[in-house]
Amino acid sequence: MLKDHFFTLFLFSFLVSLFFAALYRIDFKSGVKSFLKTFLWMVLGSLAFAYLMFFTGN
Amino acid sequence: MDLKSILKNPYVISLPTLIVPGLSHFLLGKKVRAAIFFVVVLSTFFLGIFLNGGIFFLKESNWLYSLASLGEMGMGLTYFICLLTGLNRTSPEIISSLMFGYGTTFLISAGLMNMLLMMDAFDIAIGRKVYE
């Protein structure tokens, strides 16, 4: 399962979002908000980029 | 000069992170954050090892790998232990494995995150950053 492309993307996004939420946010509430925002941007952005490459590739 | 006064020096307090990720924050009294950083940075690094990411050193066949080694060095002691024991040292087998790119991304990211932790500890020590 760990060697699945989507799961790896998901895991990486989770770890990075958690790291930055803990590093830059002062209180718990804004930390959770920052975590969700970064996580969603990373997952959805990566998927959009992957599909863009898939559909524009030869 | 006792240990407490040595640890008040911002240049000194940012170094323990190179031994154990999050140790500087722990010594600065930010225990919950230290625990999060410890788990996140080490998980990222060891997932990179598990996914066959390459451990690089300065002189590599490809200049991008040499650049990547600078990022990985941010892990400090953990990186050098892997380097000395030869764990995931770049070889044709490692480079041609399916998850090499992903694993290497994990390893570089862990090193860069650890560097950010050092800078954060420095900022806290000089009073530039104040947590709750």
Side-chain angles (χ1 to χ4, degrees):
Chain A
M1 190 168 105
L2 204 60
K3 297 200 171 179
D4 175 85
H5 295 277
F6 180 70
F7 186 71
T8 313
L9 155 74
F10 203 77
L11 199 61
F12 184 71
S13 307
F14 174 81
L15 289 167
V16 172
S17 312
L18 188 60
F19 176 80
F20 282 105
L23 189 66
Y24 290 124
R25 294 297 150 165
I26 288 162
D27 60 297
F28 182 77
K29 206 177 161 189
S30 69
V32 172
K33 220 169 143 185
S34 158
F35 167 78
L36 290 173
K37 227 187 221 176
T38 318
F39 181 69
L40 284 176
W41 268 111
M42 281 184 80
V43 172
L44 298 176
S46 305
L47 284 177
F49 191 69
Y51 277 108
L52 200 69
M53 285 202 300
F54 180 70
F55 288 119
T56 55
N58 292 318
Chain B
M1 219 177 189
D2 64 333
L3 187 68
K4 256 187 176 173
S5 62
I6 294 171
L7 288 177
K8 274 187 181 163
N9 184 329
Y11 293 99
V12 175
I13 197 67
S14 55
L15 293 177
T17 292
L18 288 175
I19 302 166
V20 179
L23 185 57
S24 300
H25 286 76
F26 184 81
L27 293 171
L28 284 164
K30 316 289 174 209
K31 290 180 183 160
V32 177
R33 278 173 210 270
I36 295 173
F37 295 143
F38 177 80
V39 171
V40 169
V41 174
L42 282 184
S43 304
T44 310
F45 188 81
F46 286 110
L47 278 167
I49 293 285
F50 181 74
L51 291 171
N52 281 340
I55 293 283
F56 304 113
F57 194 58
L58 292 171
K59 202 165 162 41
E60 293 289 346
S61 55
N62 184 329
W63 69 272
L64 279 173
Y65 293 165
S66 305
L67 198 62
S69 76
L70 295 177
E72 290 178 351
M73 274 179 205
M75 276 305 291
L77 186 67
T78 323
Y79 165 79
F80 284 103
I81 289 173
C82 290
L83 192 70
L84 292 174
T85 54
L87 187 67
N88 281 33
R89 192 75 180 93
T90 32
S91 64
E93 283 163 34
I94 289 274
I95 291 176
S96 60
S97 73
L98 178 68
M99 303 303 274
F100 169 75
Y102 290 107
T104 305
T105 307
F106 273 73
L107 292 178
I108 299 168
S109 303
L112 295 176
M113 284 196 259
N114 213 28
M115 285 184 202
L116 279 176
L117 287 186
M118 285 176 70
M119 289 183 240
D120 191 60
F122 183 87
D123 282 348
I124 295 170
I126 61 169
R128 193 186 288 159
K129 186 171 184 182
V130 183
Y131 283 124
E132 62 262 55

